[in-house]
Amino acid sequence: MSILMAPVKDGKFVETDTQNSLKKATSSDNNGMDKDAFLQLLVAQMQYQDPLEPTSNTEYISQYAQFSQVEQMQNMAATSELARATSLVGQEVYIKTTNSKGESQLKYGKVDYVVFENNKAYLAIDESLYSLEDLDTVVDLDYKNAFDKAYDFTVELNKLPVISSIDLSYAEKIDKLEKIYNEMTDYEKSFLTDENVEKLKKYIEKLKEVREAAGEGDEGEDKDESDTEGTEGTEGADGSGGA
C-alpha cells in the first residue's frame, strides 16, 4: 500500500502527504488528556496517598464519576467524528497538506473510503490517508467544474491582444471562445463577469469586420461547376467507342 512506502530522493526518505498528515494526527493525540492518562493519575493518587490521611471513599466515588464522564465524552466525540467522516465518502474535497519544504498546499480529490483507527478518522484519497483534522473544503462537483470552465475561459480570453490588433490570425481562437461560451449552461455563465462577456462580444464584432474587409467567402463559389461544364458526353467522341 502507498501509505506504507516513502519515496527516496538524494539518498533520503521523502515524507509523503499521508505520512505528514498521520504524524500531525498522532501528535495532537499525544498532547491531549485521554481516559487512560486520567486513570493512571487516579491509580497513582491511590498508591501514593498519605496513609495517615487516606482519601475518603466519597472522593474516590467523585473521581470515578469524573473518569466515567471523560470516557463518555471521548466516545461521543469519536462517534461524531466517524459519522462526519463517513458522510464525506464520495465527496470532492480539499485537504491541507505540507510538502517536504514545509510549504502549505491543498490536495484535491474524491474521498473513496474512511479508515477509523484509535478513535481517529482518516479519509482515503487516491489510496493515501489524510486526517479528518486536515479537511479544508468540501466542494460540489458541479460547482468546481463550472468554476474551472469559467476560469480557463477567462485565461484564454485575456491572452488575446487589444481589440484594435485583431486580424485573421486570431480567427480560430475567437471562434473557439465563442463556441465554448454558446455551449455553456446558464449556471456556468454565471461564473463569468459581465466585463469578460462584453469583451468577448467586442472581439466577435471586430473579427466579423475583419472578415468582411478581407472578403472571405465571396469568390470562387461556383468555380468547380464552371470547370466541369461541357465535359459530359465526350467519351468516344473520336468514333472509337463502338464495338
Side-chain angles (χ1 to χ4, degrees), residues 8-13:
V8 178
K9 183 177 182 181
D10 298 330
K12 299 180 180 179
F13 286 106

Side-chain angles (χ1 to χ4, degrees), residues 93-129:
V93 300
Y94 282 100
I95 298 292
K96 292 178 290 187
T97 63
T98 304
N99 59 24
S100 57
K101 297 180 181 180
E103 300 170 340
S104 297
Q105 56 188 20
L106 292 176
K107 162 75 175 181
Y108 171 78
K110 184 179 75 173
V111 179
D112 298 315
Y113 56 90
V114 170
V115 174
F116 196 69
E117 187 174 301
N118 296 327
N119 291 333
K120 299 293 294 182
Y122 299 94
L123 307 177
I125 301 174
D126 297 332
E127 292 303 320
S128 295
L129 296 181

Side-chain angles (χ1 to χ4, degrees), residues 28 56 62 64 68 70 142 158 166 211:
S28 63
S56 66
S62 175
Y64 180 77
S68 298
V70 170
D142 291 337
N158 290 333
I166 292 298
R211 280 173 167 162

Side-chain angles (χ1 to χ4, degrees), residues 116-180:
F116 196 69
E117 187 174 301
N118 296 327
N119 291 333
K120 299 293 294 182
Y122 299 94
L123 307 177
I125 301 174
D126 297 332
E127 292 303 320
S128 295
L129 296 181
Y130 300 90
S131 171
L132 183 61
E133 297 175 355
D134 292 331
L135 177 66
D136 181 82
T137 310
V138 181
V139 186
D140 177 72
L141 185 57
D142 291 337
Y143 172 91
K144 184 180 184 303
N145 289 339
F147 178 86
D148 290 345
K149 190 171 185 178
Y151 177 83
D152 293 339
F153 178 90
T154 302
V155 169
E156 293 302 317
L157 183 66
N158 290 333
K159 288 181 180 180
L160 294 173
V162 295
I163 300 292
S164 58
S165 300
I166 292 298
D167 55 31
L168 291 177
S169 63
Y170 296 98
E172 184 178 353
K173 292 182 179 180
I174 296 175
D175 287 341
K176 183 178 179 180
L177 287 172
E178 181 181 11
K179 181 180 179 182
I180 292 174

Side-chain angles (χ1 to χ4, degrees), residues 23-42:
K23 179 189 292 184
K24 288 192 295 182
T26 303
S27 176
S28 63
D29 289 342
N30 293 336
N31 293 333
M33 185 73 168
D34 59 10
K35 62 182 180 182
D36 293 331
F38 188 90
L39 182 59
Q40 289 176 5
L41 289 175
L42 182 60

